[in-house]
Amino acid sequence: MKNIIIAAGYATRLYPLTENYPKPLLKVGNRSILERLLDDIDPMTDIDEHIIVTNHKFAPIFEQWLATVHYQHPIRIIDDGTTSNDNRLGAVRDLLLAIEQCAVDDDIMVLAADNILTFSLKGFVDFFKERQSSVIMCYHEPELRRLQRTGVIEVDSQMRVLQMQEKPEKPVSEWAVPPFYIYRREDLPLIRDCMAHGCGFDAPGNLAHYLVEVTTMHAWPMPGGRYDIGSLDSYEEAQRLFG
């Protein structure tokens, strides 16, 4: 399985910290946000490579970082060639770029690089193997205003995804979707062809929204907490909790 980490964003809400430095490499305590993800994933025997997609501005910084860390599985940095928010590819096109440049023909785990989890992703991988379908993560979110700002899914009693909404005015459930996905190798042709069928490209959830309509997907409820480092306030809170 390939572990594809999307780390290309220009995090303007974290300026000045991220004006010239990538958010995933910001330290929380003695480890960066990205290293906290890799520390959990790298020991898994199911993973054989980590692929990190970033923009042209930050690619050299990731290469410098790569020379300072040591992991069991190889790490490849992909430069998507973009230089600003105005010409960014978006998360889905960054994923397609990684699949193409690395000639991926395997199951893939796709993660956003700006989250800290209080649980291991091993359970997510085990769930993927058990269900033998592509899978997405979900969590219970009772607040309507938060559901209206994220992806929301409807599931059956077996946690098969029946539909997915993006930032819905009237959510179909209280199951929200964070940016963590495992797509099986058999669904790669659908992924490669998704843009030709009107799939959105900006957010990673756009792809899951499209795939729900054309293949079988199941949802795994998060067994712990997730901290999305999206602003200076959330970064300072993470420092208090994990620093």
Side-chain angles (χ1 to χ4, degrees):
M1 181 187 297
K2 306 292 185 184
N3 173 34
I4 302 178
I5 298 174
I6 307 299
Y10 294 88
T12 55
R13 293 176 62 196
L14 274 161
Y15 279 13
L17 292 179
T18 56
E19 186 170 5
N20 295 299
Y21 197 75
K23 176 168 60 169
L25 295 184
L26 291 177
K27 289 290 184 68
V28 175
N30 62 353
R31 304 292 284 166
S32 70
I33 301 167
L34 175 58
E35 287 163 5
R36 287 171 177 269
L37 274 178
L38 290 174
D39 289 350
D40 175 46
I41 297 165
D42 189 62
M44 298 181 193
T45 56
D46 307 272
I47 301 296
D48 53 30
E49 183 180 24
H50 308 292
I51 302 168
I52 299 172
V53 189
T54 186
N55 53 53
H56 185 66
K57 180 177 181 179
F58 292 149
I61 299 174
F62 276 97
E63 293 288 358
Q64 292 168 9
W65 162 82
L66 184 56
T68 69
V69 296
H70 303 281
Y71 285 99
Q72 176 180 338
H73 296 105
I75 299 176
R76 194 181 326 195
I77 308 297
I78 301 294
D79 180 351
D80 74 2
T82 65
T83 55
S84 71
N85 264 334
D86 295 332
N87 64 11
R88 70 188 185 277
L89 295 183
V92 174
R93 291 192 293 203
D94 275 330
L95 172 60
L96 293 173
L97 178 67
I99 290 172
E100 179 184 359
Q101 285 201 8
C102 301
V104 173
D105 187 26
D106 199 354
D107 301 327
I108 56 174
M109 179 158 60
V110 182
L111 310 172
D114 55 359
N115 290 258
I116 296 177
L117 305 177
T118 64
F119 57 92
S120 174
L121 286 164
K122 185 180 183 304
F124 191 35
V125 174
D126 291 343
F127 179 79
F128 166 72
K129 292 188 288 187
E130 173 190 324
R131 293 305 167 101
Q132 296 185 352
S133 75
S134 292
V135 296
I136 60 180
M137 204 177 289
C138 65
Y139 62 95
H140 181 246
E141 177 51 73
E143 291 192 29
L144 176 62
R145 63 181 182 84
R146 292 185 176 177
L147 290 168
Q148 291 172 332
R149 299 202 301 264
T150 189
V152 177
I153 54 172
E154 179 186 10
V155 297
D156 65 15
S157 60
Q158 302 301 310
M159 295 305 290
R160 175 172 175 168
V161 182
L162 303 177
Q163 66 168 307
M164 182 172 176
Q165 303 169 300
E166 280 294 319
K167 300 181 179 180
E169 182 180 346
K170 296 180 179 179
V172 292
S173 76
E174 294 182 346
W175 286 116
V177 180
F180 300 98
Y181 320 86
I182 304 178
Y183 299 123
R184 61 178 187 156
R185 177 180 177 271
E186 289 81 358
D187 286 336
L188 282 179
L190 296 172
I191 294 172
R192 290 191 178 98
D193 202 34
C194 70
M195 299 299 295
H197 296 278
C199 178
F201 61 85
D202 194 37
N206 292 146
L207 179 59
H209 186 275
Y210 167 72
L211 289 176
V212 162
E213 303 296 327
V214 294
T215 191
T216 299
M217 298 189 72
H218 288 84
W220 183 66
M222 287 182 357
R226 175 182 75 100
Y227 295 85
D228 178 4
I229 313 300
S231 66
L232 286 171
D233 287 344
S234 60
Y235 180 56
E236 290 170 359
E237 181 183 5
Q239 292 282 25
R240 289 193 296 271
L241 292 170
F242 302 103

